[in-house]
Amino acid sequence: MFTLRAARVSARLPRPALRSFSSSRICSGRAIVYSENGDPSTVLEAVTYPNLFSPPPPSSAHIRFLLSPINPADVNVVEGVYPSKPTKTGALTTQGKGSEGQPVFVGGNEGLGQVVALGEGVKEDTLKVGDWVVVTKQQSGTWMSERHIPVADVARVPNAEKLTEAQAATLTVNPPTAYNMLHDFVDLKQGDWVIQNGANSAIAAAKGINTINLVRNRDNIGELKSSLEKLGATHVLTYDELADKSVREKIKGWTQGKDIRLGLNCVGGKETTLMARYLGKNAHLVSYGAMSKQPLSLPTSLFIFKNLTAHGFWQSEWYKTRSAADRDTLMKTLVEYIVEKKLDTPEIEVVKVGKDRTDAQASEAVTGVFKGLAEGKYGKKVLLNLE
Amino acid sequence: MFTLRAARVSARLPRPALRSFSSSRICSGRAIVYSENGDPSTVLEAVTYPNLFSPPPPSSAHIRFLLSPINPADVNVVEGVYPSKPTKTGALTTQGKGSEGQPVFVGGNEGLGQVVALGEGVKEDTLKVGDWVVVTKQQSGTWMSERHIPVADVARVPNAEKLTEAQAATLTVNPPTAYNMLHDFVDLKQGDWVIQNGANSAIAAAKGINTINLVRNRDNIGELKSSLEKLGATHVLTYDELADKSVREKIKGWTQGKDIRLGLNCVGGKETTLMARYLGKNAHLVSYGAMSKQPLSLPTSLFIFKNLTAHGFWQSEWYKTRSAADRDTLMKTLVEYIVEKKLDTPEIEVVKVGKDRTDAQASEAVTGVFKGLAEGKYGKKVLLNLE
């Protein structure tokens, strides 16, 4: 029954108002779990837990996951090298590996679910059965067919009927990171300039903020530049171009001498040192990634004489430290951007693990995905759908 | 006459209330000038300017310098490699170098002077004849016997009668840097912890703030540690000790697990990377120097996952961006610290250039000082006194 109903949602048909019902009708769930850190393609396994779901506890929701993204950071979490660690859950235990009954980790940080049932004390204006929610508490474990989760750890997707499942499922990490970095550090006005080496320029463009976007040189650089410009980039420069001294005058011409007051960095290393030199006085450099795996290395003179401030940004921390109202406002804003087509949906590939598969087959499918990811076989973002 | 009066001040006798008088009684001044950037021991020359001083312009003061420090940054300014550049003054020109009449730079950034005369429009509660003032506008040119200077570019020394000339002359750069860095970035409470690699710990100690002070290992390390502890350091560690993993537990014991929320850095390079790893969550790392001449290199993870913020601090910029009232409050606070012996006076050496010397002799004396500084002959801070 639920499968049917969810399928209807997936097909973007209007969702019927769901009746409240006894959650005892759903009794089993499948999860992608691991009991020890390691290579995801080795340590992950799919396990079906029968008779798992009693009615949700007070202030919690029973949600059914529709799509659960696999982000690069998720791999690091499974490996045990990410600073944010999940906790093992006693309700889910190892199965059939000779160490039955030990609590396990459930993988996944980001996920879109639909509310199936609500525990006591959840007000209807907070959450209703049938609502779409995204998980905002980090490392909650989203690679699961369904689970109980405290209402405080999810955000309702506003105007969900206007979004695809993939748009909603990828709403919690990348779009808010791009949005908040543009808003939390510098009070940018229309016509101001940002320099960046990775972030989305669509939100900036939607707000009339200009971006200079840095990319590595490559064969099809002309093509890449036009595609980035189509996505909202005001200008695109390669690091080679940036290293040429004449570019300073060019940039001055673009900005009409206006100081660039915000730099967004997900690369690090010497390319970011170079980028930082183009920031103006009193600028802020915000790092949210380190794709080069090199430290952020900046001349002290930039801090002292140009009053540079360097920050980090972590969307998970944002969710943790901000109020539920802030979170809802953010979601509403981002959904509006998507609806107005000011924000692109990432290219995605859904990996569906059907309920007809055995746990062994499901395990094989999922570990295969991680093997493929490690080999760079997926150009697109992969989303799991565990039936 | 003025020499006498000033000499009396230097001797720490009570200063007589100076009568207002015509500034035409002083007509010549000597300055340490340069017309081109270069090695100070080559490009600096002492020049006497006769008939220089008309009455000071409105809102300006005619001040006689008592002591003008030579700071390491002054050398960089003369070399032309410091970001803050002086402007040439048309009133002072080159003399006897075959290019007479070209405007020159006057050296010196920090200096203590006494007000000799005031231009129109200066209110008595702002400044009076006889007051001690320190120059707060950067690169005003303080290596001079006397000069006109806008009242806005100086700060009156409060409770000057309680200070020595040397204490007052060294009041504008180092003590406020140490003070402001402790106050402008983190709201530190008594019992909180700071980690630093160079700054004065006396102000922190006076406020009940604990400091962990990092030094390079050396032969007399025990001696150095005790002397730093006497000056207010709570603990002193060498970088070798800091690199040992066991020190983390030791520091945890000292701080009783409290996060270190402020790091003060004047070194840079890998030693500062190491220091930054001991900062707690939401900490601020403030750089005010780069003695290692190495960039500040920090793992991006500290910014993202520990929410580190890195800033620079430059006292000159502080003076530029704060109000006169802020500046006066700062001076008052620092003088109180000195009077209460909560702040040490640096060890100094005064180089006096008597008025009986010719310009050639004076030039030789001054360039000799810079040769000596370059050779590391002065362990103490050198202050010029141009009669």
Side-chain angles (χ1 to χ4, degrees):
Chain A
M1 310 270 291
F2 280 95
T3 330
L4 253 181
R5 199 172 275 141
R8 231 184 279 156
V9 172
S10 308
R12 317 293 322 124
L13 293 174
R15 270 163 289 165
L18 292 186
R19 290 182 317 276
S20 195
F21 50 85
S22 159
S23 61
S24 64
R25 286 173 67 185
I26 309 152
C27 57
S28 74
R30 181 135 66 182
I32 308 301
V33 306
Y34 57 108
S35 51
E36 275 175 31
N37 290 121
D39 178 348
S41 67
T42 311
V43 299
L44 291 179
E45 64 175 323
V47 179
T48 298
Y49 295 94
N51 305 314
L52 193 63
F53 296 100
S54 51
S59 305
S60 288
H62 178 162
I63 69 164
R64 211 188 137 269
F65 282 106
L66 302 175
L67 283 177
S68 302
I70 299 176
N71 287 307
D74 297 331
V75 173
N76 302 136
V77 172
V78 177
E79 290 169 340
V81 298
Y82 198 70
S84 155
K85 315 270 184 205
T87 47
K88 288 188 178 181
T89 161
L92 305 184
T93 56
T94 44
Q95 306 275 327
K97 278 207 160 180
S99 59
E100 284 89 346
Q102 295 306 307
V104 292
F105 299 111
V106 180
N109 181 55
E110 201 177 15
L112 168 71
Q114 186 169 30
V115 178
V116 167
L118 288 166
E120 268 176 49
V122 182
K123 287 186 191 152
E124 185 146 301
D125 55 353
T126 311
L127 221 52
K128 291 191 299 290
V129 168
D131 278 349
W132 274 10
V133 292
V134 283
V135 180
T136 54
K137 191 189 172 198
Q138 54 190 317
Q139 311 311 336
S140 291
T142 57
W143 298 341
M144 208 166 163
S145 57
E146 49 205 296
R147 77 175 300 163
H148 291 158
I149 191 161
V151 167
D153 298 346
V154 297
R156 199 173 65 83
V157 179
N159 290 315
E161 66 284 359
K162 294 181 181 167
L163 300 183
T164 65
E165 283 187 2
Q167 284 172 330
T170 55
L171 198 58
T172 40
V173 179
N174 292 345
T177 299
Y179 181 87
N180 288 324
M181 288 194 305
L182 279 179
H183 289 81
D184 285 5
F185 300 94
V186 179
D187 182 22
L188 293 172
K189 306 262 180 284
Q190 214 172 335
D192 281 348
W193 288 81
V194 171
I195 191 164
Q196 57 183 3
N197 56 26
N200 191 298
S201 57
I203 295 175
K207 300 185 67 81
I209 294 162
N210 300 302
T211 55
I212 296 171
N213 299 269
L214 306 180
V215 295
R216 267 176 296 177
N217 207 352
R218 62 195 80 188
D219 285 342
N220 62 342
I221 184 68
E223 221 172 282
L224 177 68
K225 282 191 177 187
S226 346
S227 86
L228 289 174
E229 281 160 14
K230 249 180 239 159
L231 291 174
T234 315
H235 296 286
V236 183
L237 287 173
T238 66
Y239 292 107
D240 297 346
E241 289 169 324
L242 197 68
D244 188 306
K245 279 188 180 170
S246 71
V247 85
R248 198 170 277 278
E249 282 309 305
K250 198 184 213 174
I251 291 178
K252 258 193 195 166
W254 292 342
T255 64
Q256 298 182 289
K258 216 183 227 184
D259 272 345
I260 304 176
R261 292 188 298 138
L262 182 63
L264 304 179
N265 162 45
C266 66
V267 175
K270 62 179 196 300
E271 276 127 351
T272 305
T273 311
L274 186 60
M275 179 175 100
R277 291 189 183 278
Y278 288 88
L279 290 168
K281 230 182 148 182
N282 305 318
H284 296 255
L285 176 67
V286 183
S287 296
Y288 61 103
M291 288 184 337
S292 73
K293 300 199 177 170
Q294 296 300 310
L296 193 58
S297 180
L298 298 165
T300 314
S301 56
L302 292 186
F303 290 103
I304 302 179
F305 302 123
K306 288 179 80 180
N307 197 29
L308 174 69
T309 309
H311 313 259
F313 184 82
W314 194 17
Q315 185 56 39
S316 299
E317 194 64 21
W318 192 99
Y319 286 126
K320 213 194 237 172
T321 52
R322 300 298 181 101
S323 68
D326 280 355
R327 217 169 49 184
D328 290 346
T329 306
L330 176 70
M331 285 300 139
K332 223 179 135 204
T333 307
L334 293 173
V335 169
E336 270 167 30
Y337 276 123
I338 294 175
V339 171
E340 295 166 10
K341 298 198 189 311
K342 288 176 179 171
L343 194 63
D344 295 299
T345 312
E347 289 190 74
I348 59 134
E349 180 164 336
V350 175
V351 173
K352 185 170 174 171
V353 180
K355 61 175 178 171
D356 51 324
R357 299 212 218 170
T358 64
D359 279 350
Q361 288 170 329
S363 292
E364 207 187 315
V366 171
T367 55
V369 169
F370 282 91
K371 275 197 199 95
L373 282 169
E375 290 163 7
K377 276 192 190 157
Y378 294 89
K380 302 171 182 176
K381 186 162 186 150
V382 179
L383 308 174
L384 284 179
N385 171 230
L386 298 175
E387 259 190 347
Chain B
M1 308 267 292
F2 279 96
T3 331
L4 253 178
R5 196 172 278 137
R8 232 184 276 155
V9 173
S10 308
R12 316 295 320 127
L13 294 173
R15 271 162 287 165
L18 291 187
R19 292 183 313 277
S20 195
F21 49 84
S22 158
S23 62
S24 63
R25 286 172 68 185
I26 310 152
C27 56
S28 75
R30 183 135 67 186
I32 309 302
V33 306
Y34 57 109
S35 51
E36 275 175 28
N37 291 121
D39 178 349
S41 68
T42 310
V43 300
L44 291 179
E45 65 176 322
V47 178
T48 298
Y49 294 93
N51 306 312
L52 194 63
F53 295 102
S54 52
S59 303
S60 287
H62 178 164
I63 70 161
R64 211 187 137 271
F65 282 105
L66 303 174
L67 283 177
S68 303
I70 298 175
N71 287 307
D74 297 332
V75 173
N76 301 136
V77 172
V78 177
E79 290 169 339
V81 298
Y82 198 70
S84 153
K85 315 272 184 202
T87 46
K88 289 188 177 180
T89 160
L92 306 183
T93 56
T94 44
Q95 307 274 325
K97 278 208 161 177
S99 60
E100 284 89 345
Q102 295 304 309
V104 292
F105 298 112
V106 180
N109 180 54
E110 199 177 17
L112 168 70
Q114 187 171 30
V115 177
V116 167
L118 288 165
E120 270 178 47
V122 182
K123 287 188 190 150
E124 187 148 298
D125 56 351
T126 310
L127 222 51
K128 288 190 301 290
V129 168
D131 278 351
W132 275 9
V133 292
V134 284
V135 179
T136 53
K137 190 189 173 197
Q138 54 191 319
Q139 310 311 336
S140 290
T142 57
W143 299 343
M144 208 167 163
S145 56
E146 48 205 296
R147 77 175 302 161
H148 291 158
I149 192 163
V151 168
D153 298 346
V154 298
R156 200 172 66 83
V157 179
N159 291 316
E161 65 285 357
K162 294 181 181 167
L163 300 183
T164 65
E165 284 188 1
Q167 284 172 329
T170 54
L171 198 58
T172 39
V173 179
N174 292 345
T177 298
Y179 181 87
N180 288 324
M181 288 193 305
L182 278 179
H183 290 82
D184 287 4
F185 300 95
V186 179
D187 183 23
L188 294 172
K189 306 261 181 286
Q190 217 171 331
D192 280 348
W193 288 82
V194 171
I195 192 163
Q196 57 183 3
N197 55 26
N200 191 297
S201 57
I203 296 176
K207 301 186 67 81
I209 294 162
N210 300 302
T211 56
I212 297 172
N213 298 268
L214 307 180
V215 295
R216 267 175 297 176
N217 208 354
R218 60 195 83 189
D219 285 344
N220 63 342
I221 184 69
E223 222 172 280
L224 176 70
K225 282 191 176 186
S226 348
S227 84
L228 288 175
E229 279 160 15
K230 250 180 237 159
L231 291 173
T234 316
H235 295 287
V236 183
L237 287 173
T238 66
Y239 291 107
D240 297 346
E241 289 170 325
L242 196 68
D244 189 307
K245 280 190 179 166
S246 70
V247 86
R248 197 170 277 277
E249 282 309 304
K250 198 183 216 176
I251 291 178
K252 258 194 194 162
W254 291 342
T255 62
Q256 298 181 289
K258 214 183 230 185
D259 272 344
I260 304 176
R261 290 187 298 139
L262 181 64
L264 304 179
N265 160 46
C266 64
V267 174
K270 62 181 197 298
E271 276 125 351
T272 305
T273 310
L274 187 59
M275 179 175 100
R277 292 188 182 280
Y278 289 89
L279 290 169
K281 224 180 155 185
N282 304 319
H284 295 255
L285 177 66
V286 184
S287 296
Y288 62 102
M291 289 188 331
S292 72
K293 301 200 176 170
Q294 296 300 311
L296 193 60
S297 180
L298 299 165
T300 314
S301 56
L302 292 186
F303 290 102
I304 301 180
F305 302 124
K306 288 179 79 181
N307 198 28
L308 173 69
T309 310
H311 313 259
F313 184 81
W314 194 16
Q315 185 56 40
S316 300
E317 194 63 22
W318 193 99
Y319 287 127
K320 214 195 237 172
T321 52
R322 300 298 181 103
S323 68
D326 280 356
R327 216 168 51 183
D328 290 347
T329 306
L330 175 70
M331 286 298 139
K332 224 177 134 203
T333 308
L334 293 173
V335 169
E336 270 167 29
Y337 277 122
I338 294 174
V339 171
E340 295 166 11
K341 298 199 191 309
K342 287 176 179 170
L343 192 62
D344 296 296
T345 313
E347 290 190 74
I348 58 132
E349 181 165 335
V350 174
V351 173
K352 185 173 176 169
V353 181
K355 63 174 175 174
D356 52 323
R357 299 212 218 169
T358 64
D359 279 352
Q361 288 170 332
S363 291
E364 207 187 316
V366 171
T367 54
V369 169
F370 282 90
K371 274 197 199 92
L373 283 169
E375 290 161 7
K377 277 192 188 154
Y378 295 89
K380 301 168 181 175
K381 186 160 187 153
V382 179
L383 307 174
L384 284 179
N385 171 230
L386 298 173
E387 257 192 348

